[in-house]
Amino acid sequence: MKLRHLIWKELWQRPTPMLTSLLAVTLGVTALVAIQNITVFSERKIAGDMESLGANVLVLPPSVTLQDYYGADMHGHTMPEEYVTRLALARLAGVENLAPKLCVEASVDSIPVTLAGILPRSEFQAKAAWQGLGMLGNAVGSDRGCCATAADTGAGNDDPNSLATTRTVQDLGDRDVILGRDLAGQLGAKVGDTLQLFGEDFTVLTVLPATGTIDDGRMFAHLHSVQELSGAGPVVNVIEIMACCEDAAGSLITSLSAELPETRIVTIAQVVQTQIAVNGLMSRLSWVFLSILLLVGGASIASVMYANVTERRKEIGTLMAIGASRNFVTQMFLGKAAVLGLAGGAAGFVVGTIVAAVLGPQLLGIHVSPMPMLLGVGMASATIVAVVASLLPARRAAGLDPCLVFNE
């Protein structure tokens, strides 16, 4: 009988003792694959968000705990709109754009929506006290000591779709709304349609292109209209700021804190560094889980193999008496361990990928795809542990003396 036939026969006839060992190995690889998948695709999502994010500095009420950079305006706390004027008059070097926002809950045809009040550039430009500040439509080469900005290069661009990329819009009427792509689909609304908010009719000015952020599910209207109709008064939830160049942004945080000491200043760098640190911790934890569970699986495999050698002393002795060599017996036990390792690694990869694909969108809003590299890592790790754990039991089996076994 060939070696592989003996291995398969052993696994088929005695499956129960191996299931515990296989389960431990599978769980270890599952933890590694699931956490590594989520970590890798989370980092990719962060990189994509950084590329598409317009504002890179946030001014928030002091009591706010930031959980999501994009959802920083959904905390329910407010601060005076007068802070926006103070920042504009301060002429801080490095400020390319100011975008105050106020988010409130509303409904359209009994469908709950998030209504975000924004202040268009035309409001800044219309304020006589702000003229000549070199902000939001300044000419290139101004004395701000900063690089050319999106506002500089886009002066005169009144496309309302610019809200998707620059976080601001040039003009927005008192009864105009801009819809995110997902919300427009949910409401079945298109450009020119009339929607009712707080008992008032609003006209859909445009539908934004998909951004992959929470803005896709939002509705945008003029800040002052939202303040008036919601009864919130002259307040905002957040002031988004785009710093125009790195050297100015370096000292901008200090300047902002000095100008508005009663607020909290958060930068995208802080958020990204925190997320990267969390991802790194998750990645290290996945290897810890893998190591612990593989050690448990290895110990279980060694225990099962030792028990198997003890139970099958007569069979092993008979096999050696009819001509099986010590090497053949060793290979039989190590081959069985290798099959367990390969099966556990493959099963762990499949289960881990499914877990990551299910939990990724639900918990973190990220799409997860299979990573073939982890299949090789999981199968190799599980196989090595299983084979190493079976070395001593295999050597013990190969060292049996057929004569002594028959005497027993």
Side-chain angles (χ1 to χ4, degrees), residues 142-196:
S142 66
D143 59 355
R144 289 170 60 204
C146 202
C147 51
T149 70
D152 300 332
T153 57
N157 178 16
D158 57 359
D159 181 6
N161 287 324
S162 64
L163 178 65
T165 54
T166 65
R167 311 293 281 179
T168 61
V169 63
Q170 179 64 26
D171 293 293
L172 186 62
D174 291 344
R175 292 299 182 265
D176 288 338
V177 291
I178 297 175
L179 301 182
R181 175 67 64 182
D182 294 345
L183 181 60
Q186 183 182 2
L187 298 176
K190 57 184 183 299
V191 176
D193 286 355
T194 299
L195 303 177
Q196 194 168 72

Side-chain angles (χ1 to χ4, degrees), residues 89-141:
L89 293 175
R91 303 187 62 181
L92 299 178
V95 175
E96 172 189 336
N97 197 19
L98 291 176
K101 290 202 305 183
L102 173 66
C103 285
V104 298
E105 297 299 327
S107 63
V108 177
D109 296 332
S110 300
I111 298 176
V113 299
T114 298
L115 178 62
I118 58 175
L119 200 59
R121 292 179 183 174
S122 57
E123 287 290 324
F124 289 89
Q125 296 163 348
K127 294 180 181 292
W130 294 3
Q131 293 293 336
L133 293 182
M135 181 183 298
L136 308 178
N138 58 317
V140 177

Side-chain angles (χ1 to χ4, degrees), residues 343-398:
F349 172 78
V350 173
V351 176
T353 301
I354 293 175
V355 170
V358 172
L359 296 183
Q362 293 183 356
L363 300 182
L364 300 175
I366 58 176
H367 175 72
V368 176
S369 302
M371 297 177 62
M373 177 191 68
L374 293 178
L375 175 61
V377 172
M379 293 181 69
S381 302
T383 302
I384 291 173
V385 170
V387 170
V388 170
S390 301
L391 282 175
L392 290 179
R395 291 186 62 183
R396 181 184 178 188

Side-chain angles (χ1 to χ4, degrees), residues 304-314 316 396 400:
V304 168
M305 290 294 186
Y306 269 116
N308 191 238
V309 170
T310 302
E311 293 172 359
R312 300 182 58 205
R313 286 172 58 86
K314 292 183 180 180
I316 297 171
R396 181 184 178 188
L400 291 177

Side-chain angles (χ1 to χ4, degrees), residues 313-364:
R313 286 172 58 86
K314 292 183 180 180
E315 297 177 30
I316 297 171
T318 302
L319 192 64
M320 296 180 71
I322 62 177
S325 65
R326 295 178 184 274
N327 187 47
F328 183 90
V329 174
T330 301
Q331 290 179 4
M332 183 177 66
F333 279 89
L334 294 184
K336 184 166 59 174
V339 171
L340 284 174
L342 291 173
F349 172 78
V350 173
V351 176
T353 301
I354 293 175
V355 170
V358 172
L359 296 183
Q362 293 183 356
L363 300 182
L364 300 175

